[in-house]
Amino acid sequence: MTTGRSAGSKRPSGTLVPTMTTSRTTGTAPLPLLDDPGDLTALRARGSDPDDLFTSFAAWADEGGTPLYPHQEEALIELVSGANVVLATPTGSGKSLVATGAQYAALAAGRRSYYTAPIKALVSEKFFALCGVFGAANVGMLTGDASVNAGAPVIACTAEILANVALREGADADVGLVVMDEFHFYGDPDRGWAWQVPLLELPRAQFLLMSATLGNTDRLREDLTRRTGRPTALVAGAERPVPLHHYYATTPAHETIQELLDTRQAPVYVVHFTQAQALERAQALMSVNVCTKEEKAAIAEAVGGFRFTSAFGTTLSRLVRHGIGVHHAGMLPKYRRLVEQLAQAGLLKVICGTDTLGVGINVPIRTVVFSALSKYDGTRTRLLNAREFHQIAGRAGRAGYDTAGTVVVQAPEHEVENLRQFAKVAEDPKKRRKLVRKKAPEGMVPWSQATMDRLVAAEPEPLSSSMRVTTAMLLDVVDRPGDPVAALRHLLTDNHEPRRRQLRLIRDAIGIARSLLQAGVLERLPEPGPDGRRYRLTVDLPPDFALNQPLSTFALAAIELLDPASDTFALDVVSVVEATLDDPRQILAAQLNKARGEAVAQMKAEGIEYDERIELLEDVTYPRPLEELLEHAFEVYVRSNPWAADAHPSPKSVVRETWERAMTFKELVGTYGLTRAEGAVLRYLSDAVKALRSGVPAAARTEEVTDVVEWLGELVRQVDSSLLDEWEQLTSPDAPLEAPVAVPARARPLTGNERAFTAMVRNALFARVQLWARRRWYDLGELDAGSGWDAERWGEVVRGYFADHGEVRTGADARGPALLVWDRSTPGVWRVRQIVDDPAGDHDWGIDAEVDLAASDEAGELVLRVVDAGRRDDAWTSGT
């Protein structure tokens, strides 16, 4: 890797003045290769002569201001000649241009090409770039959330999408060229299978594998040549177009960043390995004058009418207007996207974040500052490996923006403090001898300049295989024409795993197949079909059904155990599905803390001694509805499905509690103090929506289940609809194709989905009935104080009711439509009366409320005002 300066070169501590003059150049949009659909016909008519294709593409690149580097020419000559290429060149060396040339050659030959990226944001970004080069009619996008022009000859997609195509169609898949960006994800323990499967299942395709951090690829290239029959060339060792300078800073972090700003080395990306540290650093930098008044005015103009709709949004608004961004996975997608777009516009001077920018989001960063060289990886705290270091450092200095990039490693705080204390006594030998050096904090893995030098010089570690087998993979293969047993045998025995791991994969596959047979999803045919098929899918599932969770077959069996006549059937279905989802750690930890806090308060009130309280707290947990039922059902299930033993159901109540308490997203986040984890909350709710829509059989989709799903989908949409709206616009045949706008589009009006909005109103009113039933007038007062109904006023009503009746019924009849009266006669306002179900059946107590439709649309959440509550002897006076 070219660094421009030896990593171990000595410089004055904290001096970060660059040795080269740096300037931001304005990148130009790529010229279209194909202006209209007729150009593709002309290209194919011209033929696929390698020399002609190379010459014409090189001329196009030169005309667009990006003449080919020697390594790009070498890679393209191999590609137009039909070879596979492993492109292992540094970040910013023009790998995307090589990919464009490969796709151009594939188009000329009439071959369909797939461009894969690891995350949906990158896929979307690449889709628009390809549309600009090849024309919108020739480019499609597939992500799992969206399908745009799916029949196009050029497809941008996630790696999992291509892997599923390969599993479902095998060697017969219409895939002529595969471009896999960020190919180092091949070694990811959880997702690496998606980068390996296309190599195993698409022998007729040509491959271009790209990454700056691949390590030794000898075995990979030999295997690829064996499978495809094509030679596989390695193009590596290219000089980085934008050289990097590596420095070790021993000044305090805020001084380091200030010096970078003073020496015009912004934008600066400060890398942290926890989200909390990133936000803390950003807030601490508010005391630094990052931007001029003119720059702040430009930021304010760019932000414009962007809606900061959450508690964290208020903080982020203040930060970005100061020229400071925050970027990490716990943020809502719309906030991350705003920071990326402000950075792309050159408006943010400092971004404090985690290593989420290391996966290739195209944000121009001149300087990367490592706040540490050690991280907690979920198991232990360890030093970064070479691949992680180079992947993050490579974000510094982008071609077309900078002539040099800077990488700064910040010394540990205890080392900085020791150097500062030593400097104070440097000229006094007596004081030097008495100086007590600070040690690294307990549990910390320290680093030094020697650590940085080693990482700079080190080659990335060799990639290791991470193959696995899942229910979804097996179903894809079974659905493929031909003998699925033979196809699975090839997949499981001719992969890149050692033999010991292959045997384990085979055992897993046999267990999955047995579970599908016993669940009735798969059946063995009496006689093999003409194509050798011995198994087929037999369950009559909804068209959008997807067994995409490890326990989805268990969910089918568990839902059958529920009583459809039960008052809680719909929420029990939700609980079964929630039990099959991955645990949202932050939410469950917050629920547990809240439950234990309430338990401690109750035990103190009851006079329980401290030691006994501590012992009793061990039994307190977060809500786990249907725990006993699911435990028993799973025990029975595992007897005939032993493969599922490692994927134990995990009962939890996030969606269910949000529905039962009629909480908005903001209330859910606020109740559990999840401001820093808004993105994680939204992802969980989004996963729940998808699972409920695709994983509940038709027989269990009652009206109330559908109401819950519609309500949840609208709640998610109102929180962050930027990507959904963008993709829906793209899928509309009448919508013009435009690149993503700087400010995410507003969500559609909340009242636009009348079913979901009606469910919100009904649920909000019944939540008040439930509090009434539990005599919780203090909670009612918190809900409705803004309407003039404080706890004291509610208390009078509730006490008055219980003077007449012994209980409030909350069963199915109480939730039914007969006790909810609607008046929609006034434009812009719904007037609603929720009648309380008393045991005498008098139905003379209730709640009157008004719903402001315009205010609800503006807020993105239900705006309901209680007008009256109590006994009414008259009928609904305004008409029904």
Side-chain angles (χ1 to χ4, degrees), residues 455-684:
L455 288 171
V456 171
E459 290 293 324
E461 298 79 7
L463 294 172
S464 57
S465 172
S466 297
M467 189 61 178
R468 67 175 183 177
V469 60
T470 65
T471 301
M473 290 173 68
L474 192 143
L475 289 171
D476 276 336
V477 174
V478 170
D479 203 33
R480 181 197 302 183
D483 181 7
V485 175
L488 275 170
R489 184 181 298 114
H490 167 264
L491 181 67
L492 299 175
T493 62
D494 191 22
N495 53 49
H496 299 164
E497 294 288 341
R499 183 58 181 168
R500 176 179 56 82
R501 280 275 300 147
Q502 288 180 349
L503 292 174
R504 181 176 175 180
L505 290 174
I506 292 169
R507 287 194 296 270
D508 290 345
I510 292 172
I512 293 172
R514 285 175 177 167
S515 72
L516 293 173
L517 285 166
Q518 290 158 358
V521 176
L522 190 67
E523 78 169 1
R524 184 182 178 95
L525 299 174
E527 297 289 338
D531 59 356
R533 176 176 294 279
R534 288 182 269 175
Y535 294 89
R536 64 172 179 154
L537 300 179
T538 62
V539 177
D540 185 18
L541 300 174
D544 59 349
F545 190 89
L547 294 174
N548 55 6
Q549 294 291 338
L551 290 173
S552 51
T553 52
F554 167 70
L556 283 175
I559 287 174
E560 290 182 358
L561 299 177
L562 303 178
D563 179 9
S566 168
D567 294 345
T568 61
F569 176 75
L571 292 180
D572 290 344
V573 169
V574 170
S575 293
V576 169
V577 172
E578 280 203 86
T580 67
L581 299 178
D582 292 337
D583 284 347
R585 293 183 299 104
Q586 299 99 321
I587 305 174
L588 299 186
Q591 285 184 330
L592 178 60
N593 288 338
K594 191 170 189 295
R596 287 183 170 173
E598 292 173 350
V600 167
Q602 180 66 31
M603 286 187 280
K604 285 182 177 179
E606 295 173 0
I608 298 176
E609 294 297 324
Y610 175 80
D611 290 341
E612 187 178 356
R613 292 203 305 266
I614 296 301
E615 185 177 342
L616 291 173
L617 277 180
E618 293 298 320
D619 297 326
V620 177
T621 184
Y622 51 82
R624 296 182 179 182
L626 303 185
E627 183 173 19
E628 291 186 11
L629 171 70
L630 291 171
E631 286 285 345
H632 177 72
F634 190 70
E635 287 177 10
V636 175
Y637 182 76
V638 167
R639 291 172 194 165
S640 54
N641 301 276
W643 67 272
D646 292 335
H648 202 278
S650 177
K652 46 192 167 286
S653 182
V654 179
V655 175
R656 182 169 184 152
E657 182 181 3
T658 306
W659 169 267
E660 288 181 322
R661 297 178 59 183
M663 286 193 287
T664 64
F665 182 84
K666 189 184 299 184
E667 288 168 342
L668 174 62
V669 168
T671 296
Y672 291 111
L674 296 167
T675 300
R676 290 179 178 172
E678 289 176 339
V681 177
L682 186 70
R683 278 195 299 276
Y684 177 80

Side-chain angles (χ1 to χ4, degrees), residues 140-211:
M141 178 172 72
L142 302 172
T143 64
D145 289 335
S147 174
V148 181
N149 198 16
V154 177
I155 294 293
C157 63
T158 55
E160 283 82 359
I161 291 292
L162 177 61
N164 287 333
V165 170
L167 289 167
R168 192 164 52 247
E169 302 179 29
D172 295 330
D174 182 16
V175 182
L177 169 71
V178 173
V179 180
M180 303 194 84
D181 203 357
E182 308 289 347
F183 188 74
H184 55 274
F185 271 82
Y186 169 97
D188 186 273
D190 296 320
R191 301 181 62 200
W193 67 272
W195 276 258
Q196 183 172 165
V197 163
L199 309 183
L200 308 179
E201 296 294 303
L202 300 174
R204 299 175 189 171
Q206 180 186 19
F207 287 87
L208 170 58
L209 312 179
M210 307 189 303
S211 174

Side-chain angles (χ1 to χ4, degrees), residues 751-835:
T751 58
N753 185 340
E754 186 167 333
R755 179 165 193 163
F757 188 67
T758 300
M760 290 179 190
V761 175
R762 186 172 64 247
N763 204 40
L765 287 170
F766 194 72
R768 287 164 169 79
V769 171
Q770 290 175 309
L771 291 173
W772 187 330
R774 295 197 296 271
R775 310 186 191 213
R776 300 279 290 273
W777 53 80
Y778 290 102
D779 292 335
L780 285 165
E782 287 186 8
L783 278 175
D784 298 315
S787 303
W789 281 79
D790 57 15
E792 182 178 351
R793 192 172 180 185
W794 265 114
E796 291 177 4
V797 172
V798 174
R799 286 190 294 268
Y801 173 88
F802 282 105
D804 286 354
H805 303 286
E807 64 171 338
V808 173
R809 293 180 174 176
T810 56
D813 290 340
R815 293 192 72 112
L819 298 185
L820 193 62
V821 186
W822 302 81
D823 175 8
R824 295 182 172 93
S825 61
T826 304
V829 177
W830 288 358
R831 301 181 66 200
V832 192
R833 179 170 175 80
Q834 172 68 63
I835 300 170

